[in-house]
């Protein structure tokens, strides 16, 4: 295999590559770097993020720059502000030993005057988003007549985002004699026609065949009932204690809902979607990058700008109907030679979409069983024990407390002590997963299995608080959740009446709730509870449907 320092690049660039620990070029670099150094023809490279493509075009672009010439020589266009910043940051790191080279990023959503000033001060390489680049051209601050190299990064994403016109506009301001490079993860006909529009006999490079996704990504699917998706997601997360991944949802509402539920259930999760302000989005992304947030629930659009290398999992909460969307998502894991897992949780109606993805991917997506309670508990237990084994003990800091701790625990044997320490961490998993049912749909049938506990039997609880006490559905749900009888509790229909409310809750927790509720006041008011007998409950509902909700119910 070629070594990075065997590529014909100038010494300062090789030194920077060494600092970055780039020992061998990635496959795309192996093809693109020598080709760009030796050729002036146009190039189309099918490659996803994570394959090392920034360095593939970045090193030659830097190497081809004439520092003595104070003019823009390379323009790199990319779809989002985040990618723009990422590329310019990467280029700066490659140009660490080329102090006189000037790289400027221009992107929307930031004050234009600082970017203008940077351009006016002179730039050899400009990295920009199409909209802002056009603004700069129109305002006469950016001149592209001197450009020798035009690079379109994530061309498919730029077209998806509606930048086609902007790209053609920019093109008009560049000289006819230049080299154009187009990088794209997928090659839909829109990208092919864009390439036809302004590239001359481009040379084509594809990493990993027709770019069907990296080989080091494993693809699995889980087949469950639609109502069980969230439970399946939790089990998948619990089965991978070191999970660091993105959960893709279809809509902003679904994204927020799943993130809220996960947070409520004690996971380090957060939501990223278009309803958040730019500031909020940046905060979420930085918390995710620093791994404070381990599970990011996101929409495709909002996650576009996010560039994270070491994701362990991509989880598709639904099967995307466009196979290219799946390829893009899964390409976010298994980057820089690492392995990654792409999972899809489907219900029966999504099976056709899954098959289409398989076809596009060119390989089978393996069926996987949703992990069972015992497996998860075992995994979590060993993970915990591993952590105990590896933890660094700061004896100096805890020394003064230890004599009292030893004294307090001295009556316990070694075995008892271990059992207790393990239980402290582990009981919540044991309680949650005790006797839990399978979630898998067996075969193609979508009929619920008769022993599927999660097709819930609800008990109806009558609670002595109604709208005269300012109780409402939301408050009642919050109150039930605050009781913490389980990590996640299924709630069915809620009816608020004048002086009382009736709420359906998973009957599995009936006893615990009857015990917990009387001990917990609501807004300072004592709460009493009783279970509505099934016949009475049916009757009550029949009355309701024939007469509409009653203003005042029977005395509790
Ligand atoms: P990219 O596809 O450009 O987003 O790169 C993905 C990641 O791979 C980045 O973190 C790069 O720093 C890293 N990378 C790129 N080229 C190499 C290389 N030759 N050796 C090791 N890591 C690399």
């Amino acid at each position: 295999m070629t070594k990075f320092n065997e590529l014909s690049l100038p010494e300062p660039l090789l030194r920077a590559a060494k600092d970055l620990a780039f020992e061998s070029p990635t496959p795309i670099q192996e093809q693109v770097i020598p080709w760009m150094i030796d050729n002036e023809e146009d190039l189309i490279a099918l490659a996803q993020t994570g394959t090392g493509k920034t360095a593939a075009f970045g090193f030659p672009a830097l190497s081809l720059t004439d520092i003595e010439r104070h003019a823009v020589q390379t323009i790199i266009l990319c779809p989002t502000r985040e990618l723009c910043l990422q590329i310019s940051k990467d280029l700066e790191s490659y140009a660490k030993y080329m102090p006189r080279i000037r790289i400027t990023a221009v992107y929307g959503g930031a004050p234009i005057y600082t970017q203008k000033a940077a351009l006016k001060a002179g730039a050899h390489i400009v990295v920009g988003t199409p909209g802002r680049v056009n603004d700069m051209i129109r305002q006469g601050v950016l001149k592209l007549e001197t450009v020798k190299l035009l690079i379109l990064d994530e061309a498919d994403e730029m077209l998806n985002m509606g930048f086609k016109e902007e790209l053609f506009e920019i093109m008009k301001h560049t000289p006819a004699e230049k080299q154009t490079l187009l990088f794209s993860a997928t090659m839909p006909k829109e990208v092919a026609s864009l390439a036809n529009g302004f590239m001359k006999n481009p040379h084509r490079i594809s990493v990993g065949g027709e770019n069907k996704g990296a080989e080091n990504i494993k693809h699995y699917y889980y087949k469950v009932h639609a109502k069980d998706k969230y439970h399946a997601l939790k089990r998948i997360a619990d089965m991978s204690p070191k999970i660091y991944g993105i959960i893709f949802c279809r809509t902003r509402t679904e994204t927020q809902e799943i993130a809220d539920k996960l947070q409520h259930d004690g996971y380090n999760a957060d939501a990223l979607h278009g309803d958040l302000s730019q500031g909020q989005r940046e905060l979420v992304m930085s918390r995710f990058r620093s791994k404070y947030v381990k599970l990011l629930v996101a929409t495709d659009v909002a996650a576009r700008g996010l560039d994270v290398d070491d994701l362990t999992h991509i989880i598709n909460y639904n099967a995307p109907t466009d196979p290219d969307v799946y390829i893009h998502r899964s390409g976010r894991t298994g980057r820089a030679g690492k392995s990654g897992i792409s999972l899809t949780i489907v219900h029966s109606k999504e099976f056709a979409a899954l098959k289409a993805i398989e076809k596009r991917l060119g390989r089978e997506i393996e069926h996987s069983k949703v992990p069972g309670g015992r497996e998860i508990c075992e995994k979590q237990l060993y993970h915990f024990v591993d952590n105990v084994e590896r933890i660094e003990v700061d004896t100096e800091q805890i020394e003064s407390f230890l004599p009292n701790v030893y004294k307090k625990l001295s009556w316990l044997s070694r075995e008892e002590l271990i059992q207790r320490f393990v239980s402290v961490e582990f009981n919540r998993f044991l309680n949650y997963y005790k006797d839990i049912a399978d979630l898998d749909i067996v075969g193609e049938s979508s009929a619920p299995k008769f022993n599927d506990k999660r097709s819930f039997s609800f008990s109806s609880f009558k609670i002595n608080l109604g709208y005269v006490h300012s109780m409402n559905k939301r408050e009642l749900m919050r109150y039930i959740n605050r009781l913490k009888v389980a990590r996640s509790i299924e709630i069915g229909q809620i009816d608020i009446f004048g002086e009382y409310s009736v709420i359906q809750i998973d009957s599995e927790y009936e006893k615990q709730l009857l015990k917990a509720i009387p001990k917990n006041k609501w807004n300072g008011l004592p709460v009493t509870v009783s279970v509505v007998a099934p016949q009475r409950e049916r009757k009550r509902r029949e009355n309701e449907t024939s007469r509409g909700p009653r203003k005042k119910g029977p005395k509790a």
Side-chain angles (χ1 to χ4, degrees):
M1 192 197 267
T2 329
K3 293 271 166 231
F4 210 96
N5 59 14
E6 287 164 17
L7 295 167
S8 33
L9 290 168
E11 192 277 335
L13 286 174
L14 293 179
R15 204 154 22 119
K18 189 162 180 259
D19 288 355
L20 289 163
F22 288 5
E23 281 176 19
S24 311
T26 65
I28 187 92
Q29 291 163 4
E30 214 162 7
Q31 296 195 58
V32 172
I33 297 177
W35 198 89
M36 278 178 75
I37 301 284
D38 297 337
N39 287 278
E40 286 180 356
E41 289 154 43
D42 291 350
L43 172 84
I44 294 180
L46 272 162
Q48 302 182 34
T49 39
T51 49
K53 66 184 164 61
T54 317
F57 62 72
F59 276 92
L62 288 163
S63 149
L64 295 167
T65 305
D66 177 357
I67 297 185
E68 304 306 332
R69 209 167 153 232
H70 298 284
V72 179
Q73 294 162 49
T74 296
I75 171 104
I76 302 168
L77 299 169
C78 61
T80 62
R81 146 202 174 107
E82 286 78 9
L83 186 59
C84 179
L85 285 166
Q86 182 68 44
I87 295 173
S88 57
K89 201 176 102 225
D90 285 354
L91 293 187
E92 296 282 0
S93 71
Y94 311 153
K96 187 174 169 189
Y97 301 108
M98 300 172 78
R100 291 173 58 216
I101 205 149
R102 303 185 87 126
I103 301 155
T104 300
V106 295
Y107 47 86
I112 198 161
Y113 48 87
T114 33
Q115 295 177 5
K116 266 187 184 171
L119 284 178
K120 280 183 187 156
H124 295 109
I125 298 181
V126 173
V127 190
T129 51
R132 182 56 66 95
V133 165
N134 261 327
D135 281 351
M136 296 295 196
I137 296 174
R138 275 193 293 270
Q139 295 187 29
V141 222
L142 178 60
K143 299 209 166 27
L144 298 181
E145 299 87 75
T146 46
V147 157
K148 290 192 299 184
L149 197 54
L150 167 74
I151 300 169
L152 301 155
D153 194 15
E154 301 205 354
D156 48 356
E157 283 295 305
M158 286 200 277
L159 292 182
N160 278 342
M161 291 175 77
F163 284 137
K164 189 171 167 197
E165 303 304 319
E166 303 269 18
L167 291 176
F168 275 100
E169 191 54 39
I170 295 168
M171 229 46 74
K172 284 191 215 154
H173 294 270
T174 60
E177 278 307 305
K178 64 176 179 302
Q179 187 176 28
T180 304
L181 286 94
L182 182 149
F183 289 81
S184 192
T186 57
M187 199 29 88
K189 55 180 186 316
E190 293 79 9
V191 177
S193 83
L194 179 81
N196 283 338
F198 53 71
M199 294 177 90
K200 287 164 268 163
N201 301 324
H203 177 70
R204 284 169 199 269
I205 289 177
S206 167
V207 180
E210 242 297 289
N211 195 51
K212 306 227 162 155
E215 287 303 314
N216 46 342
I217 302 172
K218 293 204 173 82
H219 301 263
Y220 299 104
Y221 77 90
Y222 298 88
K223 195 172 177 193
V224 299
H225 294 293
K227 67 176 171 48
D228 286 334
K229 282 199 170 188
Y230 178 69
H231 296 286
L233 172 68
K234 284 203 329 177
R235 292 197 196 184
I236 293 163
D238 286 344
M239 192 62 189
S240 309
K242 290 188 185 156
I243 195 165
Y244 176 49
I246 305 181
I247 300 160
F248 283 99
C249 290
R250 249 188 316 230
T251 61
R252 296 169 184 194
T253 319
E254 187 180 56
T255 304
Q256 191 62 55
E257 246 172 54
I258 303 297
D260 286 350
K261 277 187 176 177
L262 286 170
Q263 280 177 353
H264 170 267
D265 291 344
Y267 297 85
N268 286 333
D270 216 334
L272 186 70
H273 54 71
D275 283 348
L276 306 177
S277 67
Q278 180 70 28
Q280 287 171 315
R281 283 207 295 268
E282 268 167 21
L283 183 68
V284 173
M285 286 199 252
S286 90
R287 280 153 55 95
F288 185 58
R289 279 195 202 99
S290 65
K291 297 197 178 158
Y292 176 76
V293 165
K294 293 282 174 50
L295 290 172
L296 185 74
V297 194
T299 56
D300 288 294
V301 178
R304 256 172 198 154
L306 187 67
D307 192 62
V308 181
D309 272 347
D310 42 2
L311 295 180
T312 60
H313 288 70
I314 291 300
I315 301 180
N316 301 286
Y317 197 68
N318 313 281
T321 42
D322 178 354
D324 282 343
V325 168
Y326 180 93
I327 303 230
H328 261 289
R329 290 179 181 178
S330 57
R332 290 174 166 277
T333 184
R335 296 173 62 160
K338 294 181 192 130
S339 60
I341 296 177
S342 175
L343 308 176
T344 310
I345 308 174
V346 295
H347 60 73
S348 329
K349 289 191 185 137
E350 292 175 295
F351 224 61
L354 194 74
K355 287 285 153 203
I357 295 167
E358 264 187 347
K359 202 165 155 220
R360 173 76 179 80
L361 206 57
R363 56 184 154 129
E364 196 192 347
I365 301 181
E366 247 181 83
H367 176 241
S368 188
K369 258 179 77 66
V370 180
R374 201 191 144 73
E375 271 172 280
I376 295 169
C377 288
E378 194 175 327
K379 185 87 178 198
Q380 288 287 346
L381 178 62
Y382 291 131
H383 176 66
F384 173 72
V385 172
D386 250 16
N387 281 348
V388 170
E389 245 190 322
R390 284 200 206 128
I391 191 119
E392 276 185 37
V393 178
D394 188 343
T395 25
E396 221 172 276
Q397 292 288 327
I398 56 171
E399 208 164 23
S400 59
F401 306 102
L402 287 178
N404 278 338
V405 177
Y406 291 145
K407 207 163 132 197
K408 185 141 177 46
L409 300 177
S410 62
W411 61 282
L412 292 166
S413 70
R414 179 176 179 272
E415 282 71 24
E416 285 168 329
L417 205 58
I418 293 175
Q419 282 164 11
R420 276 160 205 256
F421 270 102
V422 167
S423 304
V424 168
E425 170 73 15
F426 197 51
N427 276 358
R428 69 187 181 111
F429 281 104
L430 279 180
N431 286 339
Y432 181 71
Y433 283 115
K434 197 166 47 167
D435 307 324
I436 208 150
D438 273 358
L439 295 180
D440 290 285
I441 300 178
V442 181
E444 292 303 297
S445 156
S446 58
K449 284 191 289 171
F450 78 96
N451 67 340
D452 188 348
K453 274 198 191 162
R454 295 280 142 196
S455 54
F456 300 104
S457 89
F458 283 118
S459 295
S460 295
F461 295 79
K462 183 173 171 187
I463 286 172
N464 66 321
L465 298 167
Y467 60 75
V468 299
H469 308 101
S470 306
M471 178 54 91
N472 58 40
K473 289 187 182 182
R474 208 184 154 90
E475 270 303 312
L476 190 51
M477 276 168 70
R478 275 204 194 133
Y479 171 76
I480 299 295
N481 285 328
R482 270 204 307 269
L483 299 174
K484 291 205 164 69
V485 296
R487 280 185 95 200
S488 154
I489 193 158
E490 269 315 312
I491 294 178
Q493 186 163 338
I494 303 176
D495 296 306
I496 308 288
F497 298 97
E499 288 172 345
Y500 74 101
S501 307
V502 178
I503 177 167
Q504 290 187 322
I505 304 175
D506 188 351
S507 47
E508 208 181 325
Y509 302 110
E510 191 176 302
K511 273 196 196 136
Q512 283 130 291
L513 285 164
L514 287 175
K515 228 165 130 186
I517 290 174
K519 288 188 200 149
N520 286 276
K521 291 187 173 177
W522 177 77
N523 280 355
L525 298 172
V527 189
T528 59
V529 61
S530 59
V531 173
V532 184
Q535 298 91 321
R536 273 180 62 197
E537 168 68 350
R538 202 177 314 126
K539 201 148 183 219
R540 188 183 69 77
R541 289 200 184 286
E542 278 162 15
N543 286 341
E544 236 108 76
T545 38
S546 57
R547 291 192 270 134
R550 280 177 290 178
K551 280 259 149 50
K552 209 165 174 183
K555 281 205 171 83

